[in-house]
Amino acid sequence: MGTGSTLDVVRHKLSAARSVTVLTGAGISADSGVPTFRGTDGLWRNFRAEDLATPEAFARDPRLVWQWYNWRRELIATTRPNPAHEAVAHMEQRFERFWLITQNVDGLHRDAGSRQLSEIHGNIWMVRCTVCRRVTENRDVPIAILPLCKLCSGLLRPHIVWFGESLAEDDLQTSGASLKTSDVCLIIGTSGLVYPAAGFGAIAKQAGAFVVEINLDSTQQSSLVDVTLQGRAKDIVPLLLQT
Ligand code: BJW
Ligand code: ZN
């Protein structure tokens, strides 16, 4: 099937769908200028995300980890949602049941107006006290290297899920419930390498959803999905709701 007819199939499935789940990854924000994790542009001072996004890295060298987050906060602060984020935000009105699961921590889905969403890996503008666990918003750019809690003076860390850490239980519940009851599941701009999100497409597929992948390249999950639309998220996602 060429992209033209595949696009028609997806539009048809969406026009008949009552329940839709969207899963997004770094690729949807790449079109806004946020570097992805596994492309070469995702590297910072020759570190990979896997070296920095761990509780062990933070325990060993919290300064280094906060410097990395400052680099990303500065970068993300200059970005805006793109037409793909906007099209996903519009889907909330379009379907009887809708849920957005994003792995992205940049907050661009919220900026685009999405409210029915789980930010399963956290949000770069939230911080958490390592001592009293209080979660607060902090939009300072740059944030102080080694920021401290106003309540207890404990060291603050990003409110982000690092490798080896568990996702929030209510995010897992809500995401699972939506995946298991959706007619259509759209997987946009993720390499499908990081669990548990990497297994979400299979959950939807097993429960009978029509699963669509939108990505620049083929990925780990390309063989599992019903159709792949290859290209940039900002070009393809806005076309899905046009009839
Ligand atoms: C475009 C595009 C354009 C480009 N248009 N497309 C089961 C098996 C094996 C391992 C595990 C397992 N279960 C758990 C694990 C361990 C681990 C894991 O998955 N490891 C793997 C690497 C193997 N998972 C965890 O630790 C998770 N915790 C957990 O499961 O707890 C329980 C548990 C713990 C330990 C053992 C067992 C169970 C937590 C994972 C947290 C991940 N956090 C990160 C970093 C956050 C730091 C931060 O952001 O500040 O989240 S990792 C990083 O990867 C980030 C992302 O959200 C995540 C996913 O990346 P994503 O979005 O897919 O980006 P890329 O760069 O990989 O891909 C971009 C894609 O876009 C590409 O495909 C491009 O082609 C495409 N693209 N431009 C469309 N314009
Ligand atoms: Zn505290």
Side-chain angles (χ1 to χ4, degrees), residues 25-27 30-31 36-38 53 68-69 72 103-105 121 160-167 189-196 214-217 219 231-233:
D31 289 332
T36 61
F37 288 92
R38 288 164 188 86
W68 180 51
Y69 278 100
R72 293 180 54 215
Q103 300 171 83
N104 299 341
V105 301
H121 291 163
I160 284 183
V161 181
W162 288 329
F163 285 110
E165 296 184 321
S166 296
L167 280 65
T190 175
S191 58
L193 293 171
V194 176
Y195 287 86
I214 296 137
N215 201 296
L216 265 184
D217 287 314
T219 71
R232 293 188 181 281

Side-chain angles (χ1 to χ4, degrees), residues 22-115:
V22 173
L23 168 67
T24 65
I28 195 169
S29 293
D31 289 332
S32 291
V34 182
T36 61
F37 288 92
R38 288 164 188 86
T40 46
D41 60 346
L43 293 177
W44 173 78
R45 296 193 200 166
N46 293 324
F47 290 98
R48 298 171 310 137
E50 285 80 352
D51 302 329
L52 296 161
T54 70
E56 293 77 20
F58 190 71
R60 198 185 315 123
D61 194 346
R63 262 194 183 79
L64 176 72
V65 174
W66 267 121
Q67 282 166 359
W68 180 51
Y69 278 100
N70 253 333
W71 170 70
R72 293 180 54 215
R73 286 165 74 104
E74 281 176 29
L75 208 154
I76 289 167
T78 66
T79 63
R80 298 288 313 137
N82 66 59
H85 295 104
E86 281 157 14
V88 170
H90 283 134
M91 290 180 192
E92 281 184 14
Q93 274 84 57
R94 185 71 176 258
F95 303 101
E96 245 176 76
R97 275 171 295 156
F98 177 85
W99 201 253
L100 167 62
I101 307 167
T102 187
Q103 300 171 83
N104 299 341
V105 301
D106 53 40
L108 291 178
H109 281 297
R110 274 184 204 280
D111 293 346
S114 281
R115 291 297 175 267

Side-chain angles (χ1 to χ4, degrees), residues 209-237:
F210 185 78
V211 182
V212 181
E213 177 178 62
I214 296 137
N215 201 296
L216 265 184
D217 287 314
S218 60
T219 71
Q220 287 286 102
Q221 27 203 8
S222 299
S223 54
L224 154 135
V225 304
D226 291 290
V227 299
T228 299
L229 296 170
Q230 198 166 353
R232 293 188 181 281
K234 77 161 168 45
D235 298 330
I236 294 180
V237 183

